[in-house]
Amino acid sequence: MADKRDYYEVLGVNKGSTDAEIKKAYHKLAMKYHPDKNPGDKEAEEKFKEVNEAYEVLSDPDKKDKYDRFGFAGVDPNFGAGQGGFGGFGGFGNFGGGFGGAGMNFDDIFDMFGGMSGAGRRRRGGPQKGRDLQKTITIDFTDALFGCSKQIEIVKNVKCKTCGGIGAKPGTSKKTCDQCGGSGQISQVSNTPFGRFQNVTTCPKCGGTGQMIETPCTDCGGTGVNRKTVKIKVDIPAGVDTDSIVTIRGQGEPGVNGGPDGDLYIVVNVRPHSTYKRRGDDLYLDMPITFDVAALGGKVQVPGFGESYSYTITPGTQTGSSFRLKGKGVPNVRTGRKGDLYVKVVVEVPTHLNRKEKKAIEEMAGKISNESYPKKERFSKLKF
């Protein structure tokens, strides 16, 4: 596995990145290297496989936990088979059927090393943050520019109102587990060829909580949570763009054993505008002007969102010319500072002319000298 790249490096995220950030990075890279977009490109195909492999591990809480603790060995199906990882280290692969063998899982391995060092590991029954949730919403272009409030519905676990999330029937309480004495862990000392080892495992009776519910709440069945459809108000800040993430703290699922509630990540998708285009905080607009304004110059009104901007066209403006209106773009979602508006001029040639209009153009054409068309004059002198 020496030639493998770190999965976080593959996706371009940090180890502490949220599930939403990992998913966003994966989608971006998967689209970039997808075989349909890179036909016949072997390098892109390998990148696509690498990105999918990384996401398969980092998107799975169990696999991600093992990878964070043991590296590639933690997610290698051959782990403990004596071909690498701990299985091929110092003969440990033959110890008790190998660390990947029957009767030992990754938690057992961690517990054993924790017992050896005396440090132990964090008890499963301790406070744990609730599960983070994610939802994608689609908003209009103007809502992204000015910000808006949306009400969403999401199905999630909520704390049981009947028992207050305890899980025990009102009027009763939890009891200390009689198997582990409330510690949530069972310790066993084993004599091995390497000496005495303390193996600390999760209590099978209470599941590591250290407490038992004798009379479960009839509303939640002792789980402390109910599955509900919840309405949540989401404030979208001005300047968001597609794939922006709005975090709502504490609106995920309830924490466990007194831990904080998880967070809700709103992934924003912005509908494209029919006329305006956006790049970062700047806006781009193709604006038609008439032939006479292009030739003689004059004031035009550039349409904005809820307002318009006056601009003076210089005489002789050609189609494709552009000008900038500073500070008329999109507000930056972090600083609030606005980008710019870039306007490209498109000289519109009149169509569906009546006889009178055609005659007027013919008279005008006859009165304009060739010197007034320098590009046409130079082009006519080219030899092919």
Side-chain angles (χ1 to χ4, degrees):
M1 296 181 199
D3 57 341
K4 276 181 175 286
R5 283 203 298 153
D6 175 69
Y7 288 146
Y8 291 101
E9 180 185 342
V10 170
L11 295 183
V13 296
N14 296 321
K15 192 170 183 179
S17 298
T18 64
D19 293 342
E21 290 169 336
I22 290 173
K23 186 174 183 180
K24 179 181 177 182
Y26 164 70
H27 282 170
K28 182 178 180 180
L29 292 172
M31 289 180 65
K32 179 179 179 181
Y33 295 118
H34 197 282
D36 291 346
K37 289 191 174 185
N38 304 274
D41 189 335
K42 293 295 183 183
E43 184 178 351
E45 183 179 343
E46 291 302 316
K47 290 280 188 183
F48 184 72
K49 291 179 181 178
E50 185 182 41
V51 166
N52 276 279
E53 179 183 331
Y55 184 66
E56 181 185 359
V57 171
L58 298 185
S59 63
D60 185 308
D62 183 53
K63 291 181 180 178
K64 182 174 179 290
D65 178 62
K66 291 173 182 176
Y67 177 71
D68 288 344
R69 290 158 63 184
F70 302 108
F72 291 114
V75 291
D76 180 11
N78 296 318
F79 180 70
Q83 301 298 321
F86 289 123
F89 180 74
F92 282 164
N94 297 318
F95 176 63
F99 282 157
M104 294 192 73
N105 56 32
F106 286 99
D107 289 326
D108 295 330
I109 298 168
F110 191 89
D111 288 334
M112 189 178 75
F113 276 102
M116 289 168 62
S117 65
R121 70 179 176 95
R122 185 173 63 89
R123 209 183 86 185
R124 282 186 181 178
Q128 297 176 37
K129 181 183 176 182
R131 190 165 70 97
D132 293 336
L133 300 176
Q134 177 180 311
K135 185 176 179 64
T136 299
I137 65 171
T138 300
I139 63 175
D140 291 331
F141 194 86
T142 50
D143 287 338
L145 262 60
F146 297 107
C148 62
S149 292
K150 298 288 183 182
Q151 188 176 70
I152 65 167
E153 289 189 353
I154 188 168
V155 179
K156 66 172 186 173
N157 288 334
V158 297
K159 188 180 292 185
C160 177
K161 291 184 178 180
T162 302
C163 66
I166 297 174
K169 184 178 180 179
T172 68
S173 60
K174 293 182 178 181
K175 304 294 183 182
T176 301
C177 176
D178 56 10
Q179 186 166 339
C180 66
S183 68
Q185 298 173 331
I186 302 295
S187 298
Q188 293 179 328
V189 177
S190 303
N191 293 315
T192 74
F194 302 99
R196 291 170 61 85
F197 290 93
Q198 181 183 7
N199 187 21
V200 181
T201 59
T202 301
C203 176
K205 189 170 184 178
C206 66
T209 64
Q211 295 180 312
M212 300 291 295
I213 299 175
E214 293 185 336
T215 310
C217 170
T218 56
D219 200 14
C220 66
T223 63
V225 295
N226 298 117
R227 199 74 173 163
K228 300 283 187 180
T229 299
V230 181
K231 292 182 178 180
I232 299 173
K233 180 184 176 183
V234 181
D235 292 322
I236 307 295
V240 296
D241 202 354
T242 292
D243 288 336
S244 292
I245 296 176
V246 178
T247 303
I248 307 179
R249 301 294 181 191
Q251 284 291 359
E253 296 196 333
V256 179
N257 298 322
D261 292 346
D263 301 323
L264 174 60
Y265 296 96
I266 303 297
V267 181
V268 179
N269 181 53
V270 180
R271 294 187 185 95
H273 196 271
S274 59
T275 305
Y276 276 88
K277 306 298 179 187
R278 177 179 176 178
R279 297 174 195 165
D281 297 333
D282 296 327
L283 290 175
Y284 293 80
L285 173 69
D286 290 352
M287 191 180 76
I289 64 173
T290 60
F291 170 80
D292 58 303
V293 172
L296 303 177
K299 285 189 176 182
V300 295
Q301 293 296 313
V302 180
F305 292 89
E307 59 182 326
S308 62
Y309 317 111
S310 180
Y311 185 82
T312 301
I313 300 293
T314 58
T317 293
Q318 304 295 310
T319 190
S321 300
S322 62
F323 58 88
R324 180 181 69 162
L325 297 177
K326 193 172 182 181
K328 302 302 181 182
V330 183
N332 185 279
V333 73
R334 291 183 297 276
T335 66
R337 183 177 179 181
K338 288 188 175 183
D340 301 327
L341 169 59
Y342 292 87
V343 182
K344 185 171 75 173
V345 171
V346 180
V347 179
E348 186 175 15
V349 177
T351 58
H352 307 296
L353 299 171
N354 59 37
R355 185 178 298 175
K356 186 177 179 180
E357 291 168 335
K358 288 180 180 179
K359 186 176 180 180
I361 291 178
E362 289 171 352
E363 290 177 354
M364 178 197 71
K367 294 178 181 180
I368 298 177
S369 65
N370 288 336
E371 285 76 10
S372 296
Y373 297 98
K375 292 182 180 179
K376 177 184 175 184
E377 188 72 11
R378 289 195 299 269
F379 186 80
S380 64
K381 295 179 181 179
L382 293 176
K383 295 181 180 180
F384 299 95

